[in-house]
Amino acid sequence: VDKLILNRTIQHPPHLNLKIQYKIGVILDCKILHNKLYYLVDWLGYSSSARTWELVENVANVEALVKEFHQQYPNKPSP
């Protein structure tokens, strides 16, 4: 399963416009905030301090991980 989040932009010098792809290790939790669904993401190769809350749109290309999370936690909010 390809666990990538696409189109993350990191600030580089103005003449460079690079897109870097980060891999998700696991989805840990989810929540609704301001009527939007967020997932708590553990990034592959990064420490737990690098975990972030990501909008559902940002994890759309890792459907298998989202499905796995909701199978484990069926009472959590879902899309």
Side-chain angles (χ1 to χ4, degrees):
V1 173
D2 196 7
K3 303 173 187 173
L4 299 178
I5 291 223
L6 303 176
N7 300 323
R8 288 279 180 148
T9 303
I10 295 201
Q11 295 298 322
H12 292 283
H15 63 282
L16 298 176
N17 186 13
L18 303 175
K19 301 280 184 182
I20 297 178
Q21 298 177 345
Y22 296 93
K23 291 186 178 185
I24 294 177
V26 66
I27 295 174
L28 301 169
D29 200 0
C30 69
K31 67 181 178 181
I32 301 286
L33 182 64
H34 304 294
N35 293 322
K36 295 187 179 198
L37 180 61
Y38 289 82
Y39 288 99
L40 181 59
V41 171
D42 183 66
W43 300 101
L44 197 62
Y46 291 87
S47 71
S48 61
S49 66
R51 292 175 179 163
T52 58
W53 286 98
E54 298 293 330
L55 279 168
V56 65
E57 296 86 19
N58 293 343
V59 296
N61 62 330
V62 287
E63 293 174 12
L65 289 178
V66 172
K67 183 177 179 179
E68 180 181 316
F69 172 81
H70 286 292
Q71 285 175 341
Q72 288 181 327
Y73 304 100
N75 296 326
K76 291 281 188 174
S78 61

